[in-house]
Amino acid sequence: AQSVAQPEDQVNVAEGNPLTVKCTYSVSGNPYLFWYVQYPNRGLQFLLKYITGDNLVKGSYGFEAEFNKSQTSFHLKKPSALVSDSALYFCAVSSGNTPLVFGKGTRLSVIA
Amino acid sequence: GAVVSQHPSWVICKSGTSVKIECRSLDFQATTMFWYRQFPKQSLMLMATSNEGSKATYEQGVEKDKFLINHASLTLSTLTVTSAHPEDSSFYICSARAGQGAYNSPLHFGNGTRLTVT
């Protein structure tokens, strides 16, 4: 069975500083990895995905994530955080024809 | 592109009544849509996979007679919460994939429906 772990419930970072939101996964076969962001009382917005190719993928709003196969990780990063980045972030994984499985989410708080 | 519209955005109903939530893909066709439930400060739980023209596939532990899903067209799926009770209060979110619907393509989500059962 596939699973996703987001070890941090909350990440706090000062505006302008780099941010990292961690994600590790477990899956049989090749993983399809995704990051989504959720603002209050809204659905999820797609940020980026890794399917194959370069381990570093770039996505929306300046976010990027690095796929690390040996560590089974897919951490989300941004060089310089904005207050408007404050939201709930979900990592998700699927493989082959399996439905997407989400992590429990990490709340990012960027402080001015 | 790839917009999913969900309606209503919030609903309050009395215990024992039924509530229907609509999920529409506005600019693409979706043979498959997914219904999720999200509890406060928790992740999304997949409830069921809605298949156009056939029966939905429910996840283990989800009562199919309680949560009726209909996917009558390539752009519309509905979730009906029947005989709702306060424990059904939650945030329900639908999603769909554009294109061929391959599992390596991203899901597009509706804005969710906040259901409160009194």
Side-chain angles (χ1 to χ4, degrees):
Chain A
Q2 56 200 45
S3 65
V4 175
Q6 291 180 245
E8 304 152 317
D9 290 336
Q10 174 93 30
V11 169
N12 298 318
V13 64
E15 187 176 30
N17 283 2
L19 69 88
T20 299
V21 182
K22 295 180 181 177
C23 171
T24 59
Y25 66 91
S26 174
V27 68
S28 300
N30 293 322
Y32 303 142
L33 293 155
F34 303 83
W35 275 101
Y36 289 86
V37 60
Q38 184 181 32
Y39 295 97
N41 294 310
R42 301 293 293 272
L44 277 67
Q45 296 178 31
F46 168 72
L47 280 179
L48 52 81
K49 68 176 180 179
Y50 171 84
I51 304 301
T52 186
D54 289 340
N55 289 342
L56 183 66
V57 292
K58 295 185 182 296
S60 306
Y61 313 119
F63 284 94
E64 58 188 30
E66 185 167 12
F67 170 64
N68 187 315
K69 187 174 183 178
S70 63
Q71 297 185 5
T72 61
S73 67
F74 190 57
H75 302 328
L76 181 70
K77 300 181 180 182
K78 187 173 181 180
S80 178
L82 300 171
V83 172
S84 57
D85 293 329
S86 300
L88 188 57
Y89 290 81
F90 289 98
C91 181
V93 67
S94 68
S95 178
N97 286 327
T98 59
L100 209 54
V101 172
F102 288 85
K104 62 180 176 61
T106 298
R107 186 163 300 282
L108 172 67
S109 180
V110 181
I111 304 163
Chain B
V3 176
V4 175
S5 174
Q6 190 171 340
H7 179 80
S9 55
W10 60 271
V11 58
I12 302 173
C13 70
K14 292 185 177 181
S15 185
T17 61
S18 295
V19 173
K20 180 185 284 188
I21 302 169
E22 292 186 348
C23 180
R24 295 181 184 273
S25 56
L26 295 186
D27 51 1
F28 67 99
Q29 293 183 333
T31 55
T32 303
M33 292 184 175
F34 304 89
W35 287 95
Y36 290 85
R37 183 173 178 177
Q38 186 178 28
F39 293 97
K41 298 184 179 181
Q42 293 191 30
S43 187
L44 284 76
M45 180 191 78
L46 179 63
M47 299 175 64
T49 301
S50 171
N51 304 298
E52 188 267 336
S54 64
K55 292 182 179 181
T57 303
Y58 289 82
E59 295 300 304
Q60 191 173 10
V62 178
E63 300 175 59
K64 61 181 181 181
D65 295 329
K66 173 77 171 175
F67 299 99
L68 298 179
I69 291 174
N70 183 276
H71 194 155
S73 77
L74 287 171
T75 59
L76 174 64
S77 175
T78 60
L79 168 67
T80 302
V81 183
T82 62
S83 187
H85 291 283
E87 57 265 30
D88 298 325
S89 298
S90 191
F91 193 56
Y92 294 87
I93 311 175
C94 72
S95 67
R97 282 191 174 91
Q100 296 300 314
Y103 279 89
N104 59 4
S105 58
L107 288 175
H108 301 279
F109 286 82
N111 280 333
T113 298
R114 172 77 56 196
L115 171 63
T116 303
V117 185
T118 60

